Amino acid sequence: MKADCLVWVCFFLYMDVVVLGQETRIHCLGSKKPLQLADPFPASEDNDALISMEWYFYPLNKTGGVQTDNKVKLLQALPGSKIIKEPRWEKYQNWGLALQDPEFGDTGVYTAAIVTTKSTKTTPFSTHIVVAEAPVLKSMSLAVSRTMNKQTGEVTLSCGTLGSQGTPPVELIWRAPNGSAIVGTYKKGNISLVLGKEEGDGTFSCEVEEPSPAMTCVPPDKLPLWEGKYKFDRHLGSSESNIIMLVVIVCCVIVVIIVIIVIVVLVKQKRKGEVYNA
């Protein structure tokens, strides 16, 4: 999980350095919307003065870097309305591009350049696209559970469960009561955190580490389900445990009262029977 996330961290760092000033665009797989790259050049670019207009795509390598030596020409426009393009892509508006069926492999850097008779050099434009897929919860929410080792006194908090980490894969993290991130152990859709005897009390939260392109594909009304909180009190137990204990005590009291009432009723009935027989 860490290795996959590091690949995407490298990718975003590359974007900040190489194409500084350009925003990362997230396209959600399954959104049923085409991936559209609008014409980046002003309308003042006269088609009659066109010498060449080109779109290129630079895919990612396994480490998240951009393959600058492996560019793919998506479109080339030449004088006389002659257009050469990659079959999957369509011309969009003036000199933009559109893709109806984007895939994960379409994540990368897209560049456009135009040469006209009014300009002696190309006017470059770059943008980077991440094709993402939302993660899926296997449980109703990022619920937090607590277990305690009576021998060592250590408390283990567990948060989950994920059915899928999405693409790029999300990473779950823990946050301490002071807001700092804590390294947990991820396994089979859950992330656990062991609290030693020296750990202080407070509210621990479980959430998705940012930035996370995949989380932008989660519907806004579902986002509250992606954060779990647990109020930890080593001496008094968690608030949930206190509630459970209170419920158990109340139930026991009710049962005792019912038993007493039944005994009293039975005793009275027995006495009535003895008086009647007499």
Side-chain angles (χ1 to χ4, degrees), residues 154-193:
E154 291 181 339
V155 173
T156 300
L157 300 181
S158 181
C159 174
T161 304
L162 295 185
S164 167
Q165 292 178 246
T167 302
V170 300
E171 182 174 4
L172 296 179
I173 61 169
W174 284 99
R175 290 201 179 277
N178 62 4
S180 61
I182 309 176
V183 177
T185 302
Y186 183 85
K187 185 178 181 181
K188 295 181 179 181
N190 291 271
I191 185 170
S192 59
L193 175 67

Side-chain angles (χ1 to χ4, degrees), residues 8 14 28-29 53 66 68 71 80 108 110 135 143-144 182 188 229 233 245 251 256 265 267 272 276:
W8 288 99
Y14 175 90
C28 296
L29 198 69
M53 159 66 194
V66 178
T68 55
K71 66 180 181 180
Y110 292 79
V144 180
I182 309 176
K188 295 181 179 181
K229 292 183 179 293
D233 189 323
M245 183 65 70
C251 290
V256 171
V265 171
V267 170
K272 287 181 179 180
Y276 178 79

Side-chain angles (χ1 to χ4, degrees), residues 194-235:
V194 178
L195 304 178
K197 291 182 178 180
E198 70 283 355
E199 192 70 46
D201 299 336
T203 300
F204 291 81
S205 61
C206 167
E207 60 190 52
V208 174
E209 186 176 25
E210 297 292 347
S212 174
M215 286 302 293
T216 63
C217 300
V218 175
D221 61 324
K222 301 295 183 182
L223 289 177
L225 301 177
W226 286 87
E227 183 177 12
K229 292 183 179 293
Y230 199 90
K231 187 175 182 180
F232 176 68
D233 189 323
R234 181 175 299 279
H235 302 290

Side-chain angles (χ1 to χ4, degrees), residues 80-96:
S81 300
K82 183 180 180 180
I83 296 178
I84 303 172
K85 68 180 183 67
E86 203 272 343
R88 292 178 62 220
W89 290 83
E90 300 173 357
K91 186 171 175 291
Y92 170 62
Q93 294 181 348
N94 191 25
W95 296 122

Side-chain angles (χ1 to χ4, degrees), residues 36 63 65 75-76 92 95 130 142 150 166 188 253 270:
Q36 295 175 335
T63 62
L75 180 143
Q76 183 180 27
Y92 170 62
W95 296 122
V130 176
L142 285 182
K150 295 182 179 180
K188 295 181 179 181
V253 171
K270 184 177 180 181

Side-chain angles (χ1 to χ4, degrees), residues 7 10 30 62 64 72 85 90 97 149 153 189 198 213 237 239-240 242 249:
V7 167
C10 292
K62 293 182 179 180
V72 179
K85 68 180 183 67
E90 300 173 357
L97 285 177
N149 188 320
E198 70 283 355
S239 58
E240 291 88 349
N242 290 335
I249 293 174

